[in-house]
């Protein structure tokens, strides 16, 4: 996989995607969104990859927002297409990926950057991280799922305030309100994410994929999350991972999941 705007490293069963536009503070443009889609798609199809970590190059920014120059003169219909396409190819795509995705928030995560972090399955932030959705200060609103995912994560009232003030919060505040799972010194961010990813990779990737699908179903208005859980639970019984997991448990040994 050769890309212009992102870097990919694989170490064992863990892959790291780094958005590599440091001069633009890793801002998301159309090409970067397309490259991220392709990278996530290929890594998700690789059975040897159990966890994906996404971060930004350098020490200043995860993603400092969208590349505003690309859409500053868009019409109403063009704006709607921009949001719809972005959600389809990246933000919703990441949220529904069967491979777990951890956002390693290593600095500014603003606008589309925070929306990308929120689309990941959970977030770990460095102490210098700053997060916010400043779109209303530009006369627009979050368009990549921010008005939906932020209330799900931190509650309606807090989300309304953060969106309407266009303010930023620091990493500790983000931890206190449940926007991130952990806050660590910047020099420990990569190792912390790898440690968590290592624990995840020891478990059944098939079961984890079903768990992601079931949890996400609970946040969709047209889906009964409990029914989705029942169906996913039953589906696990037909997998080789279930046979191996139960056999290993009964045999008092560590499971070696085939991922099938």
């Amino acid at each position: 996989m050769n890309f212009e705007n992102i870097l990919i490293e694989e170490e064992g069963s863990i892959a790291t995607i780094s958005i590599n536009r440091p001069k633009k503070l890793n801002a998301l443009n159309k090409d970067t969104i397309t490259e991220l889609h392709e990278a996530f798609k290929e890594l998700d199809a690789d059975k040897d990859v159990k966890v994906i970590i996404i971060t930004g190059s350098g020490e200043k920014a995860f993603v400092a927002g969208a590349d505003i120059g690309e859409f500053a003169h868009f019409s109403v219909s063009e704006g709607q297409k921009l949001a719809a396409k972005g959600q389809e190819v990246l933000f919703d795509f990441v949220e529904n990926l069967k491979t777990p995705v951890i956002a390693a928030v290593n600095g500014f995560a603003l606008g589309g950057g925070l929306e990308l972090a929120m689309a990941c399955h959970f977030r770990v932030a460095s102490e210098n991280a700053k997060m916010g959705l400043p779109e209303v200060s530009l006369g627009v609103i979050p368009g990549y799922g921010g008005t939906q995912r932020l209330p799900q994560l931190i509650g309606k009232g807090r989300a309304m305030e953060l969106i309407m003030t266009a303010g930023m919060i620091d990493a500790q505040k983000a931890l206190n309100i449940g926007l991130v799972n952990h806050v660590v010194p910047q020099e420990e961010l990569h190792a912390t994410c790898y440690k968590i990813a290592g624990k995840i990779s020891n478990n059944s990737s098939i079961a984890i994929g079903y768990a992601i699908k079931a949890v996400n179903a609970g946040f969709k208005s047209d889906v009964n999350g409990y029914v989705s859980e029942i169906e996913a639970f039953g589906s696990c019984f037909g997998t080789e991972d279930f046979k191996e997991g139960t056999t290993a448990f009964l045999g008092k040994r560590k499971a070696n999941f085939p991922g099938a």
Side-chain angles (χ1 to χ4, degrees):
M1 294 180 284
N2 295 313
F3 301 107
E4 292 185 6
N5 299 304
I6 63 175
L7 303 171
I8 299 176
E9 295 180 10
E10 294 186 42
E11 187 175 327
S13 61
I14 302 167
T16 300
I17 301 173
S18 298
I19 300 169
N20 189 35
R21 301 185 74 215
K23 292 182 179 179
K24 293 283 189 178
L25 293 179
N26 303 323
L28 294 176
N29 61 1
K30 183 173 69 174
D31 290 342
T32 304
I33 287 174
T34 299
E35 288 187 11
L36 285 168
H37 171 82
E38 291 302 323
F40 277 115
K41 183 178 179 180
E42 291 185 33
L43 291 171
D44 190 48
D46 187 343
K47 285 190 175 184
D48 292 330
V49 175
K50 304 296 184 183
V51 184
I52 301 169
I53 298 169
I54 182 165
T55 192
S57 293
E59 298 181 350
K60 292 183 178 180
F62 173 72
V63 173
D67 199 330
I68 297 168
E70 280 197 336
F71 58 80
H73 303 292
F74 273 18
S75 66
V76 170
S77 62
E78 288 173 323
Q80 290 175 342
K81 289 177 182 177
L82 176 72
K85 186 68 173 179
Q87 290 190 28
E88 176 187 354
V89 302
L90 182 57
F91 300 85
D92 290 352
F93 187 77
V94 169
E95 181 178 69
N96 294 299
L97 214 66
K98 67 179 185 294
T99 305
V101 182
I102 303 171
V105 183
N106 57 313
F108 289 110
L110 304 175
L114 180 56
E115 288 175 302
L116 177 57
M118 291 191 294
C120 298
H121 299 120
F122 60 90
R123 290 142 294 284
V124 181
S126 58
E127 292 175 338
N128 67 313
K130 304 282 186 182
M131 286 158 263
L133 296 174
E135 284 88 346
V136 297
S137 69
L138 301 174
V140 70
I141 70 168
Y144 288 143
T147 65
Q148 306 303 300
R149 293 189 178 97
L150 189 62
Q152 291 172 4
L153 289 166
I154 70 173
K156 181 180 177 180
R158 288 193 180 106
M160 285 285 198
E161 180 180 358
L162 195 58
I163 291 169
M164 289 190 284
T165 60
M168 285 192 296
I169 59 173
D170 61 22
Q172 189 57 51
K173 177 69 173 179
L175 178 65
N176 292 343
I177 63 177
L179 184 54
V180 302
N181 290 42
H182 307 277
V183 174
V184 297
Q186 189 169 50
E187 62 271 18
E188 297 177 14
L189 180 62
H190 189 69
T192 299
C193 289
Y194 257 77
K195 183 178 180 180
I196 297 170
K199 291 180 179 179
I200 293 171
S201 65
N202 288 331
N203 299 315
S204 165
S205 57
I206 298 296
I208 286 172
Y210 278 125
I212 290 170
K213 184 177 181 180
V215 171
N216 285 343
F219 291 94
K220 296 177 181 178
S221 60
D222 59 340
V223 178
N224 186 316
Y226 293 97
V227 172
S228 295
E229 181 184 276
I230 291 167
E231 292 173 350
F233 178 78
S235 295
C236 290
F237 282 70
T239 68
E240 293 300 317
D241 275 12
F242 175 75
K243 294 177 183 177
E244 167 61 14
T246 52
T247 300
F249 177 81
L250 294 172
K252 297 182 180 180
R253 62 173 175 82
K254 184 178 180 180
N256 183 21
F257 293 109

